Amino acid sequence: MTRFNHILPVFHLALKELRRKNAASHNPLRPIYAVQSSLLHSSPDNTVVEVHSEVQEVVIALGSNVGDRLKHFNDALHMMRKSGICITRHGCLYETKAAYVTDQPNFLNSAVRGLTKLAPHDLLSLLKQIEKDLGRKDGTRYGPRPIDLDILFYGRVKIASEALTVPHERMWERPFVVAPLIDLLGSSVDNDTVATWHSLSGCHGGLFEAWKRLGGESLLLVDWSKKTYLMGVVNLTPDSFSDGGKLSSVDDAISQIRLLLSQGADIIDIGAQSTRPLAHRVSVSEELDRLLPVLEAIPRIPELEGKFLSVDTFNSEVASEAVKRGVHIINDVSAGQIDSNMFQVVAGLEVPYVVMHMRGDPSTMQDGENTSYGDVCRDVACELGARISEAELSGIPAWRMIADPGIGFSKRTSQNLEILMGVPRIREEFGSRSLAASHAPLLVGPSRKRFLGEICGHSSPIERDPATVAAVTAGILGGANIVRAHNVRYCSDAAKLCDAMLKKGGGLLG
């Protein structure tokens, strides 16, 4: 049921957000999945009489075309959560020309799915107050606005009153409304409320048919299918499996970053905590002692202009300190499982977040129980999807996440091969729960991993570069959008060839 193969990057938006900090933290409500049946009743004249309700599942659309549009979204979501709305899923970001009144800037659009105890008109009043607090003023209908919040669905009911109509009366003619709404669904119906939403579309095939009737056209902010992004590895550790101890000084690290950039790296991923199997975990202070001198020397690298910095860490304190010094992306191999504060911290930092699949930690990940799977692609997608859902509940929007199936982490050789060949299946499995998650950029990192040495008979990691190129090629042709590599020059050539093949073929190879 996937609508399109293109995904949304938010790296460019991250640069703007680094200068801002959240003034307050929040603790989102835990989801309540036993959504009650309708507690609203229509009167003969089709108005709605409200009664006190239990938790209801809702969909709220967001739009903005004035000022810092993404900041308006972030502020509105924060205010919703603070007011007791539990946001459970986020749509992707879309950019469209203004409708009806066309002489105005383009709109940024999205939608969220959530749970609330507010009655419909109370919810409407809250959303209108948020709009006002964020600077919206009365003016031309359909005119420019810093934020626009609309209730698309409320529980399992239709509402028709002077102030509120649900489903939103003009949504079926607006692709920019239906597209993010579709993101909030899975390819399978997960509860009775969603089944009702499908029926309210008035189409035999439900919301998916309604979207198809609108053209099913991608309106995503940026099209990632045009280019594979290269993430170059910089290890500041003495014990990394491939190049531990080689970057023992700041000057060595700066030289390596410059080399990777000259080879075509789009992202520089700096790690100061080894995540190889059986690695000894160092303290936060030691990790920072290795990392911060390099980050503070980064201004010496003018070649980084327009590129992105990532920090490879599972410690929230390190993540926070790195972003303060200009890092754009947090790459967490544990997906928030090692440091329970990570999701909350990343939500406040408002930067892209790589969510990777791993069982256990680096010291236990290759234990028998952690490498036992039924169907490795399905199991990895399910477990990683659960971490993505938990991150969303903590306030990290889907549009800010990057998914990594964790090649080499809690997987044996045959399982790594299944992951590489199964990238399309993993994306499809994500889609069964959330189509927005299935559209997230996928990162693969097979570079110089042990399984390549086992297959090709190379004990030295650097001798595994040709096999890395083959593995990267398989991943890209399967739908990976970012590849993490030690030898960026070789992998850059492979990515260019794959991109050209995919462009020529018009889509993923099968």
Side-chain angles (χ1 to χ4, degrees):
M1 300 294 292
T2 306
R3 291 175 292 134
F4 33 73
N5 293 324
H6 308 327
I7 22 249
L8 167 73
V10 291
F11 298 155
H12 300 87
L13 296 172
L15 291 169
K16 286 183 167 182
E17 296 186 272
L18 291 175
R19 298 185 179 92
R20 300 189 295 102
K21 299 289 183 292
N22 259 6
S25 61
H26 53 76
N27 293 305
L29 300 173
R30 291 292 154 236
I32 303 172
Y33 294 108
V35 179
Q36 300 296 312
S37 298
S38 167
L39 293 174
L40 302 174
H41 306 278
S42 295
S43 63
D45 63 357
N46 205 33
T47 59
V48 169
V49 179
E50 295 189 45
V51 297
H52 293 292
S53 64
E54 298 298 326
V55 173
Q56 298 286 346
E57 193 163 16
V58 297
V59 174
I60 299 169
L62 298 91
S64 173
N65 75 333
V66 173
D68 189 334
R69 302 173 300 172
L70 192 58
K71 182 181 186 301
H72 295 322
F73 277 18
N74 291 329
D75 290 346
L77 294 177
H78 175 72
M79 294 166 79
M80 285 187 221
R81 292 189 187 95
K82 193 174 179 181
S83 300
I85 299 172
C86 175
I87 297 173
T88 58
R89 294 186 191 175
H90 305 72
C92 297
L93 293 175
Y94 296 82
E95 185 173 52
T96 59
K97 294 184 181 301
Y100 312 119
V101 179
T102 57
D103 185 20
Q104 56 180 309
N106 288 351
F107 271 87
L108 193 66
N109 296 287
S110 191
V112 295
R113 183 170 162 182
L115 300 165
T116 182
K117 286 188 175 182
L118 292 172
H121 287 81
D122 292 335
L123 176 61
L124 177 64
S125 296
L126 170 65
L127 298 180
K128 294 303 179 186
Q129 184 60 50
I130 291 174
E131 290 179 342
K132 182 178 179 181
D133 291 344
L134 293 180
R136 182 169 179 179
K137 297 178 173 60
D138 294 335
T140 305
R141 192 180 186 194
Y142 306 125
R145 68 213 79 165
I147 193 70
D148 187 21
L149 303 173
D150 289 314
I151 303 171
L152 302 184
F153 289 120
Y154 182 95
R156 298 195 291 177
V157 298
K158 295 179 71 173
I159 303 170
S161 72
E162 185 176 341
L164 179 63
T165 301
V166 176
H168 192 276
E169 57 186 330
R170 305 194 73 168
M171 62 186 289
W172 309 118
E173 65 186 48
R174 300 174 177 179
F176 57 86
V177 173
V178 179
L181 167 61
I182 296 292
D183 290 339
L184 305 176
L185 309 174
S187 56
S188 58
V189 176
D190 56 10
N191 63 39
D192 290 343
T193 300
V194 173
T196 300
W197 295 347
H198 279 287
S199 69
L200 289 173
S201 71
C203 297
H204 179 72
L207 292 167
F208 297 114
E209 183 181 333
W211 170 243
K212 186 176 179 180
R213 288 183 180 182
L214 281 173
E217 182 181 356
S218 174
L219 307 168
L220 285 168
L221 188 59
V222 181
D223 181 356
W224 264 50
S225 67
K226 296 178 180 178
K227 169 183 162 53
T228 300
Y229 279 67
L230 275 295
M231 176 184 273
V233 180
V234 177
N235 286 319
L236 306 180
T237 54
D239 58 341
S240 291
F241 79 95
S242 173
D243 49 6
K246 292 186 177 180
L247 306 180
S248 56
S249 71
V250 172
D251 286 342
D252 290 340
I254 296 300
S255 295
Q256 180 65 11
I257 292 171
R258 282 192 163 126
L259 174 64
L260 295 172
L261 291 169
S262 72
Q263 292 177 342
D266 303 290
I267 307 163
I268 299 297
D269 190 41
I270 306 176
Q273 172 91 245
S274 179
T275 54
R276 66 173 175 79
L278 303 178
H280 170 69
R281 192 185 305 182
V282 302
S283 66
V284 168
S285 61
E286 186 173 351
E287 187 177 354
L288 288 172
D289 285 345
R290 295 172 179 174
L291 177 66
L292 296 188
V294 175
L295 295 183
E296 288 165 357
I298 288 295
R300 291 162 42 188
I301 311 179
E303 301 95 317
L304 266 171
E305 181 69 28
K307 306 292 184 178
F308 303 97
L309 279 177
S310 168
V311 63
D312 181 0
T313 186
F314 46 69
N315 286 314
S316 61
E317 185 177 342
V318 174
S320 182
E321 292 298 321
V323 170
K324 288 178 184 177
R325 289 162 176 81
V327 165
H328 312 115
I329 304 163
I330 307 302
N331 182 9
D332 179 6
V333 299
S334 80
Q337 295 182 96
I338 292 178
D339 185 340
S340 60
N341 292 323
M342 182 62 92
F343 286 169
Q344 291 289 341
V345 168
V346 172
L349 294 172
E350 297 183 352
V351 295
Y353 180 55
V354 180
V355 189
M356 197 195 81
H357 178 269
M358 177 178 65
R359 291 175 174 177
D361 59 36
S363 67
T364 64
M365 64 184 181
Q366 296 305 118
D367 292 352
E369 63 179 351
N370 286 330
T371 55
S372 178
Y373 297 88
D375 179 325
V376 66
C377 289
R378 182 191 62 211
D379 293 350
V380 165
C382 181
E383 293 168 22
L384 187 53
R387 299 308 301 159
I388 290 172
S389 294
E390 186 69 21
E392 285 196 87
L393 284 167
S394 298
I396 306 174
W399 64 67
R400 200 175 286 131
M401 283 190 270
I402 301 157
D404 181 349
I407 292 172
F409 289 80
S410 55
K411 285 101 179 166
R412 302 295 184 188
T413 295
S414 63
Q415 295 160 345
N416 288 316
L417 293 176
E418 288 185 58
I419 292 290
L420 271 175
M421 296 185 295
V423 171
R425 275 200 60 209
I426 291 172
R427 197 182 288 285
E428 183 180 353
E429 290 287 344
F430 282 160
S432 67
R433 176 183 307 205
S434 166
L435 289 174
S438 75
H439 302 149
L442 270 178
L443 184 155
V444 295
S447 183
R448 297 181 178 176
K449 294 284 174 69
R450 180 180 300 179
F451 80 100
L452 299 176
E454 291 178 356
I455 293 170
C456 301
H458 296 305
S459 58
S460 171
I462 199 170
E463 293 178 342
R464 303 169 191 164
D465 280 349
T468 296
V469 170
V472 161
T473 298
I476 296 171
L477 295 180
N481 310 104
I482 308 169
V483 293
R484 187 176 184 272
H486 297 81
N487 189 323
V488 170
R489 181 167 65 88
Y490 288 176
C491 292
S492 177
D493 286 347
K496 289 174 183 176
L497 179 60
C498 290
D499 290 347
M501 294 169 66
L502 291 170
K503 183 178 180 180
K504 183 73 173 177
L508 304 184
L509 300 186

